[in-house]
Amino acid sequence: MTTSSIRNKRKKIIVRTLVALFWIAAWQVLCLFLDNDLLIASPFSVIRRIFELLFVGEFWVSVLNSLLRILEGYLLGAVLGILCAALGALFPFFSALLSPVITITKTAPVTSFVILALVWIKSYNLAVFISFLMVFPMIYSGVREGIESADPKLLEVAKVYHFPVRKTLRLIYYPAIKPFLLTGLSTAIGFGWKAGITGEIFALPKHAIGTRLYESKIYLETLDVFAWTAVIILLSLLIEKLIRLMLKRMG
Amino acid sequence: MITLNQISKSYDGKKVLHRFSCTFAEGKITAVMGPSGIGKTTLFSLLLGLIQPDEGTISGLEGKKISVLFQEDRLFPFLTAKENALVAGEGPKDYLALLGLKDEENALPSALSGGMQRRVAMARALHYDGEIFLLDEPFKGLDPKTKEQAMALFRSLTPEKTVIFITHDKEEAKLLADDIVYLNEAVVLKDALPFDHTP
């Protein structure tokens, strides 16, 4: 790493820390101004509450259950997204058939699906389904775009030299799809996570972050609402970071 | 013999080839010449089966193995020169070495000059070891010495192989080709000029 890049990185960290401190200070000022625990919790009490939660077994059970459910939906969405994109590229009829589904899932609000899905799906599986619903169209569209970006000149090379399908996939389609797929996978996790938690808030499965958040709201435990929200944000950042790191290593 | 009989091809209503007929002798080198836009590359694509004629027939290519050198190098950017050369087939000789690229075989195309990339694409066509060689401006961007080496290499393929190459360069055609097809007239000049067989 060069001296200038180290300097740049350090500068970036300082700026980020200052920005964070500014907003925490603004939050604290607002707390002091409102002076009402039911309306807003102070940043320090939220941090203290998160540390308390870390020593409660139910916290970890809820976190792990939510993570598992949402990752299940994420993986399902990713795998089916890739498969359907491949099928869509091969069979235009399949692509046309799927087109309205993709448009609807991309444009309709998450809550509409959650409310509808509540009628059909068990509370445990709802977050899986909602997370899947967010991830699937993103991966599908990304992979389709990647397939379409495959170099037609190299495809002609593959054709005239009679490359087997596997070789064409490995040498032409995979490199074309890879950047779209990696971007899709790293972006989709954040969306899947948020949508999955929303699903839990409606479905209220026994052990879930969404359920804990909902209960905190019902019992007017504003501090817990803030603490669970902070946990959701921190976990979202952590998962996104981990997925990006994993994808970077794979790429 | 490869025969094109009354071939017509249009793009968006514009006729590129109209009732074009010609033959390419087996075991010989034929140069295809003609002014720009006359349909040389269309002819190339038709011979490769990448496009179909609107009318007419092409015979003599059925089931034949065709080695191709496109107008552009069309190399795989993430494969080394050696991997690119061997991507379509193993071939009987070390063509990269014969084309003076032994030291560059582990380099990626981005690290090679235009002429070197052309030679890698050429090596790929040679390694495929087709019965017919279709070459679109094969010597484009090569320096005189390398061009001479490459020409000798293609000459050595005959009479076992049939070589058809597109060129704008009259000298190239005169030096290498047994026959020349002028596309604007669609005539074949037999034994255009004898080739000096000494490499």
Side-chain angles (χ1 to χ4, degrees):
Chain A
M1 205 181 271
T2 61
T3 324
S4 71
S5 69
I6 292 170
R7 205 179 299 145
N8 278 340
K9 205 171 177 186
R10 204 175 290 164
K11 199 177 163 187
K12 225 173 173 180
I13 292 168
I14 292 169
V15 170
R16 276 186 186 173
T17 312
L18 285 174
V19 169
L21 285 174
F22 169 81
W23 285 111
I24 289 171
W27 179 6
Q28 181 63 29
V29 168
L30 192 68
C31 277
L32 291 171
F33 178 72
L34 292 172
D35 194 24
N36 186 337
D37 288 347
L38 271 177
L39 286 179
I40 192 166
S42 79
F44 303 106
S45 53
V46 169
I47 293 166
R48 203 182 315 118
R49 181 67 185 135
I50 291 171
F51 274 104
E52 282 169 17
L53 284 172
L54 290 177
F55 296 97
V56 178
E58 175 56 28
F59 170 83
W60 292 106
V61 177
S62 297
V63 165
L64 280 176
N65 270 292
S66 292
L67 274 172
L68 278 176
R69 269 189 286 263
I70 291 162
L71 282 177
E72 231 173 280
Y74 172 75
L75 287 175
L76 200 66
V79 172
L80 278 179
I82 295 168
L83 274 175
C84 288
L87 286 173
L90 281 172
F91 309 108
F93 177 72
F94 183 78
S95 172
L97 203 67
L98 217 57
S99 164
V101 179
I102 300 294
T103 309
I104 291 168
T105 48
K106 271 182 170 175
T107 50
V110 184
T111 41
S112 303
F113 290 114
V114 175
I115 291 161
L116 274 174
L118 269 172
V119 184
W120 314 318
I121 298 171
K122 278 184 185 170
S123 65
Y124 175 89
N125 293 327
L126 192 99
V128 179
F129 176 70
I130 295 300
S131 167
F132 161 81
L133 219 55
M134 288 298 107
V135 175
F136 174 76
M138 290 178 84
I139 302 298
Y140 174 86
S141 305
V143 174
R144 278 304 300 273
E145 214 175 317
I147 292 172
E148 277 153 27
S149 77
D151 188 343
K153 288 181 175 176
L154 289 181
L155 286 171
E156 280 186 355
V157 171
K159 191 178 176 189
V160 299
Y161 284 124
H162 305 288
F163 280 10
V165 176
R166 269 183 72 176
K167 198 173 193 174
T168 309
L169 287 174
R170 183 169 59 85
L171 293 179
I172 303 169
Y173 282 111
Y174 178 64
I177 293 166
K178 207 168 105 180
F180 292 93
L181 182 63
L182 294 185
T183 308
L185 286 172
S186 59
T187 316
I189 187 68
F191 282 90
W193 174 251
K194 279 186 280 187
I197 298 287
T198 309
E200 287 179 346
I201 291 170
F202 280 82
L204 302 176
K206 202 173 176 193
H207 305 289
I209 294 177
T211 309
R212 300 285 84 80
L213 187 64
Y214 178 79
E215 283 172 357
S216 309
K217 183 231 165 197
I218 287 294
Y219 300 123
L220 295 173
E221 289 164 346
T222 310
L223 178 60
D224 275 13
V225 173
F226 272 80
W228 280 107
T229 306
V231 167
I232 293 166
I233 294 168
L234 290 171
L235 280 173
S236 175
L237 293 172
L238 187 74
I239 300 165
E240 267 189 66
K241 199 101 182 162
L242 283 174
I243 293 273
R244 283 207 178 122
L245 208 73
M246 210 169 73
L247 294 173
K248 204 174 169 185
R249 287 215 175 149
M250 277 165 65
Chain B
M1 187 178 294
I2 300 161
T3 310
L4 281 87
N5 187 27
Q6 297 283 301
I7 294 290
S8 294
K9 183 72 191 172
S10 304
Y11 292 109
D12 302 324
K14 192 191 167 210
K15 279 179 185 169
V16 180
L17 290 172
H18 183 61
R19 293 186 178 173
F20 172 78
S21 298
C22 82
T23 56
F24 297 101
E26 268 180 34
K28 284 191 170 185
I29 300 180
T30 307
V32 177
M33 297 192 74
S36 295
I38 196 77
K40 295 192 294 297
T41 300
T42 300
L43 176 68
F44 188 81
S45 299
L46 283 164
L47 287 168
L48 280 174
L50 294 174
I51 53 170
Q52 296 305 314
D54 300 333
E55 283 172 37
T57 54
I58 300 171
S59 60
L61 291 168
E62 304 83 3
K64 294 270 172 69
K65 204 175 162 188
I66 304 173
S67 281
V68 188
L69 181 59
F70 289 95
Q71 199 171 30
E72 317 86 11
D73 304 316
R74 302 194 184 189
L75 299 176
F76 293 93
F78 48 88
L79 295 184
T80 64
K82 190 178 181 181
E83 287 166 340
N84 262 298
L86 297 175
V87 78
E90 296 287 317
K93 294 176 187 170
D94 185 355
Y95 288 110
L96 273 185
L98 286 171
L99 288 162
L101 288 174
K102 190 71 189 163
D103 294 339
E104 282 78 19
E105 62 180 27
N106 292 320
L108 289 174
S110 56
L112 301 173
S113 70
M116 285 172 171
Q117 290 184 28
R118 194 69 185 146
R119 279 182 278 162
V120 175
M122 205 174 266
R124 178 173 67 192
L126 289 159
H127 274 292
Y128 186 62
D129 199 27
E131 295 158 85
I132 297 164
F133 278 73
L134 279 180
L135 317 168
D136 197 348
E137 298 187 42
F139 311 111
K140 189 180 66 178
L142 300 188
D143 61 73
K145 194 187 157 204
T146 324
K147 192 189 235 183
E148 210 173 288
Q149 278 178 331
M151 278 187 172
L153 210 50
F154 283 113
R155 170 48 65 184
S156 72
L157 298 175
T158 55
E160 286 82 23
K161 319 276 186 189
T162 303
V163 180
I164 300 167
F165 75 103
I166 291 174
T167 183
H168 288 288
D169 190 326
K170 276 183 189 167
E171 287 307 307
E172 268 177 22
K174 279 180 187 172
L175 268 170
L176 188 61
D178 301 310
D179 298 340
I180 299 175
V181 170
Y182 286 100
L183 208 55
N184 53 345
E185 297 159 22
V187 290
V188 182
L189 302 181
K190 290 286 179 193
D191 298 321
L193 270 177
F195 179 79
D196 180 4
H197 287 254
T198 50

